[in-house]
Amino acid sequence: MSRELWQVRQDVPMTSPHPHEQVAAELRADILSGRLAPGESLPGQRELGEKLGVAPNTVAQALRLLEEEGLVETAPRRRSRVLQPAAAMEVWLHEDGLFRPADSDGNGHTDVRRGEPGTDAAAVEALDRAPNAALSVRQAVLLQAGTPWALQTLFTPDPLADTSAEAATIAPFTMGSLRHEDSHTSSWSARPATTGERSLLRSRTGTAVFEVRRIGYTTNRPTSYLLTVIRADRVSIRSKGAT
């Protein structure tokens, strides 16, 4: 592929001034369209750079971006390999204010924090605590078929001694004192993912997320604050009654 052909392709938006992001955009489009099939090996960085009219270092930067997104696999002294793009998925919002995938097969999580002390201004305010009050924090990346779809962070004034996976992900209010919650409120917004969220969710620059802030109550006292950040490019959300 000549540099001229690459520059004038009409099917790939070239909005970034950075060459490595432009290279990543073209390769991403080819992967998502199926022109580059899962399992296919890409040309070496030097060869790919010659085809695209860019330096090998630029190609290496582009491949790192695509690796963070879960679209390619790189390894020393081996050609990069195309991975299966993350499939779209459906998630149900239940009456308890929690999200659960419609398809339970392939559910998983990666723990980020498991109950250590921390603080968060929005959580402290929601839980009606003194400024900079210490909270227990649990955080996990939620997975479907090994690919991230949401980042979930739970704040509570009470110690989170339980370390089971179920307590930290998908249904964080089923263990200990949190199981006694009797009501909740939720607020929603949409925004671009932060750099840290993109890294944990393996999503590309510019990806939008749904941000859902849930406050749980026990006899009208706020007892938990759950922040769920959901990949809008992958997830469709439906409402569902309690089961």
Side-chain angles (χ1 to χ4, degrees):
M1 181 185 301
S2 70
R3 182 178 182 181
E4 290 72 24
L5 179 58
W6 171 58
Q7 289 180 325
V8 300
R9 281 183 59 172
Q10 299 300 307
D11 61 325
V12 183
M14 296 297 181
T15 58
S16 172
H18 303 294
H20 73 284
E21 292 183 356
Q22 295 177 345
V23 171
E26 177 173 335
L27 293 174
R28 184 185 300 113
D30 285 343
I31 292 170
L32 296 179
S33 69
R35 285 191 289 268
L36 290 172
E40 184 175 343
S41 293
L42 296 175
Q45 293 180 12
R46 184 175 300 277
E47 180 183 352
L48 196 53
E50 290 175 353
K51 290 182 177 181
L52 300 177
V54 298
N57 284 345
T58 299
V59 174
Q61 288 179 286
L63 292 175
R64 281 196 291 272
L65 283 180
L66 297 177
E67 184 174 35
E68 291 175 358
E69 297 171 22
L71 295 178
V72 301
E73 178 184 62
T74 64
R77 297 181 295 278
R78 287 175 48 193
R79 291 190 172 188
S80 299
R81 185 172 65 90
V82 176
L83 299 179
Q84 178 71 46
M89 60 179 291
E90 184 176 276
V91 168
W92 288 103
L93 171 60
H94 290 248
E95 287 186 351
D96 59 7
L98 301 179
F99 298 90
R100 299 179 180 88
D103 182 0
S104 61
D105 292 339
N107 286 348
H109 73 281
T110 299
D111 287 323
V112 180
R113 303 180 69 175
R114 301 200 63 164
E116 63 265 37
T119 191
D120 176 88
V124 166
E125 181 179 0
L127 294 169
D128 196 22
R129 298 284 157 166
N132 300 316
L135 303 170
S136 293
V137 186
R138 302 196 68 160
Q139 186 176 58
V141 178
L142 307 187
L143 309 172
Q144 175 69 280
T147 302
W149 64 272
L151 174 65
Q152 199 170 66
T153 310
L154 171 66
F155 300 89
T156 175
D158 302 318
L160 289 166
D162 187 273
T163 58
S164 70
E166 182 70 6
T169 63
I170 303 295
F173 307 115
T174 60
M175 307 298 293
S177 60
L178 299 183
R179 70 192 305 172
H180 301 300
E181 286 186 353
D182 49 38
S183 62
H184 74 275
T185 60
S186 295
S187 61
W188 291 60
S189 62
R191 57 171 175 79
T194 66
T195 300
E197 289 165 350
R198 291 200 308 269
S199 177
L200 289 169
L201 294 173
R202 300 211 303 267
S203 60
R204 62 187 178 89
T205 301
T207 294
V209 294
F210 301 117
E211 179 182 273
V212 185
R213 299 174 179 269
R214 180 195 187 279
I215 305 172
Y217 297 87
T218 303
T219 59
N220 297 319
R221 180 174 63 91
T223 50
S224 68
Y225 177 84
L226 179 70
L227 175 64
T228 303
V229 177
I230 302 172
R231 284 181 56 168
D233 65 331
R234 188 180 177 209
V235 176
S236 61
I237 300 171
R238 297 177 182 269
S239 297
K240 187 171 186 177
T243 58

